[in-house]
Amino acid sequence: MDYILHHFDISPFAEKVRLAFGLKGLAWHSVQIPVVMPKPDLTALTGGYRKTPVLQIGADIYCDTQRIASELERRHPARSLFPQGSKGLCLALANWSDAAFFRPGAGLSMGTNTDLPEAILKDRSAFFSFLDFASLPGELPHLYAQFNAQLQLLETMLVDGRDYLLGTEPSWADILGYFPVWMCRGNIRNGDALLSGFPHVGAWEQKVAALGHGERRELDAAAALAIAREQRSTAETVVLEAAMPGLAAGMEVAVTPEDYGAVPVAGELVRLTHEDIAVRRTDPRAGEVVVHFPRSGYRVEKTA
Ligand SMILES: N[C@@H](CCC(=O)N[C@@H](CS)C(=O)NCC(=O)O)C(=O)O
């Protein structure tokens, strides 16, 4: 199985997937994508989705870390991301870590780093629709308070001295709790001082970091596009009426994230279940690909 992760090194969401490779002990190829738009090689694969990261497996393109985690687990169940039947709990926890935890962290990364390149500030002020960049300086105390409140929750989860959030085994829950902490160390001014107030978080952070990133090899974007062109999708067609009444396999639809970066991806419906969505599309550079999304947090609409 050739896993190809399209990402950039300072991306906190990409760090989730790199750690999932580490937890599972997998080998993967790394394609570096631009930090800001345009990202022509990435959007040739995705049909417009621009967020980081994206996982490619042949001609199947997986968008969103939730969808990527489920797919890694399906294809490689050993060393589970969801031990002891914790899949539902782990996936549900993303609403906490992506919203309550990541968002104030993103505000602090943008608002406390005075030397951020202009191109990043410009791109992200349009992209992060949950942040008002004009009022950011005055919002910093509130954002610190919100970020601290989530660190306190993590400390509470770990205060009995357990190794990992769910007990003795590492899981996707640890990766979800960890990625804003990783962002804090790397991207938030005074991040180390902020974290020093949470000793159990500090000890656990080292265990999660020690999961590592698996075995990484670099690949260039042209080679990844050639792989997409040469291979066929392995997606099985399943469209459930209950996942959105009125839609059927083969219909032309658009899939759009409900939060920020809401670029629609158009294609022919291949999968629609309570867990996932997939559309088939043909691109001059990527050939025929199937682009996959989680069901939760994505809107599907008929276009023709
Ligand atoms: N729901 C998405 C969110 C991904 C996300 O927001 N990623 C950030 C980077 S860490 C991003 O896309 N930033 C803008 C960019 O990379 O162009 C997921 O779980 O993958």
Side-chain angles (χ1 to χ4, degrees):
M1 187 66 52
D2 268 350
Y3 298 114
I4 304 172
L5 188 68
H6 297 258
H7 69 139
F8 53 85
D9 287 330
I10 59 164
S11 160
F13 278 89
E15 183 65 8
K16 288 194 202 177
V17 179
R18 295 185 294 249
L19 286 168
F21 286 131
L23 191 155
K24 287 188 172 291
L26 293 173
W28 53 287
H29 296 280
S30 154
V31 175
Q32 291 284 330
I33 62 172
V35 176
V36 296
M37 291 296 273
K39 309 184 186 192
D41 296 329
L42 180 76
T43 50
L45 292 166
T46 63
Y49 181 88
R50 63 148 295 182
K51 295 187 192 179
T52 311
V54 167
L55 179 68
Q56 174 187 356
I57 306 175
D60 285 290
I61 312 298
Y62 296 91
C63 300
D64 199 296
T65 51
Q66 290 281 86
R67 184 66 191 87
I68 293 171
S70 299
E71 191 60 24
L72 288 180
E73 186 74 7
R74 190 180 76 82
R75 294 186 187 239
H76 190 94
R79 295 164 82 170
S80 180
L81 290 170
F82 311 124
Q84 293 154 37
S86 64
K87 182 175 177 184
L89 196 64
C90 282
L91 292 178
L93 198 65
N95 281 333
W96 166 66
S97 69
D98 286 7
F101 209 173
F102 170 75
R103 289 182 187 198
L108 291 169
S109 300
M110 296 290 134
T112 66
N113 268 312
T114 40
D115 52 356
L116 272 182
E118 191 54 36
I120 296 192
L121 277 176
K122 208 169 149 215
D123 182 271
R124 295 304 191 268
S125 59
F127 175 72
F128 285 135
S129 45
F130 55 87
L131 289 176
D132 173 10
F133 276 58
S135 62
L136 209 47
E139 277 290 290
L140 292 180
H142 175 68
L143 294 172
Y144 271 117
Q146 290 305 311
F147 197 79
N148 269 321
Q150 315 317 317
L151 287 174
Q152 182 59 57
L153 281 179
L154 270 183
E155 185 73 9
T156 305
M157 293 180 211
L158 293 160
V159 79
D160 63 2
R162 63 183 60 205
D163 285 330
Y164 299 103
L165 295 189
L166 299 182
T168 53
E169 288 174 86
S171 72
W172 185 239
D174 292 289
I175 292 174
L176 294 177
Y178 172 86
F179 90 99
V181 172
W182 182 85
M183 174 169 72
C184 179
R185 284 260 185 242
N187 305 356
I188 298 177
R189 203 176 57 214
N190 297 331
D192 292 344
L194 201 66
L195 290 165
S196 66
F198 302 94
H200 290 89
V201 172
W204 160 86
E205 181 193 358
Q206 290 183 13
K207 289 182 204 129
V208 182
L211 294 172
H213 289 166
E215 201 185 308
R216 165 177 172 165
R217 278 185 226 112
E218 299 306 315
L219 185 75
D220 63 45
L225 283 164
I227 290 169
R229 273 195 312 275
E230 284 154 15
Q231 298 196 21
R232 308 275 308 159
S233 163
T234 60
E236 192 191 326
T237 302
V238 181
V239 174
L240 297 183
E241 171 78 9
M244 191 69 202
L247 295 184
M251 281 182 174
E252 293 296 329
V253 297
V255 183
T256 316
E258 281 196 300
D259 50 14
Y260 51 93
V263 181
V265 174
E268 189 188 295
L269 191 62
V270 175
R271 293 187 60 82
L272 184 61
T273 72
H274 294 307
E275 289 189 36
D276 71 318
I277 308 167
V279 297
R280 180 175 288 112
R281 52 177 293 277
T282 303
D283 182 275
R285 296 174 66 220
E288 187 181 289
V289 291
V290 172
V291 189
H292 301 256
F293 304 89
R295 182 69 186 94
S296 178
Y298 286 77
R299 186 178 289 279
V300 191
E301 281 164 329
K302 205 169 144 192
T303 52

